[in-house]
Amino acid sequence: MIDLDDRDAEVPAGVVGTPTFLIGREIVSIGNPCLGLLLDTLDAVESADGPC
């Protein structure tokens, strides 16, 4: 989470608006994603990383 009131906050490349959702450094959605898309994306990341 980035505090937009903090002028010294580091904003990742590609973040041009709010809200922007990232997983790691990859932008998942600019704007609020639909729940299904967000859950599918999280499942794909979890599958790629292997079980916890």
Side-chain angles (χ1 to χ4, degrees):
M1 183 168 301
I2 299 168
D3 181 356
L4 296 177
D5 290 328
D6 180 357
R7 294 189 184 272
D8 295 326
E10 184 178 331
V11 179
V15 174
V16 295
T18 60
T20 300
F21 291 81
L22 293 97
I23 296 178
R25 295 189 181 271
E26 182 179 341
I27 294 175
V28 174
S29 177
I30 297 176
N32 290 318
C34 68
L35 180 58
L37 173 63
L38 182 58
L39 292 175
D40 289 346
T41 302
L42 291 172
D43 284 343
V45 169
E46 183 179 47
S47 295
D49 289 342
C52 295

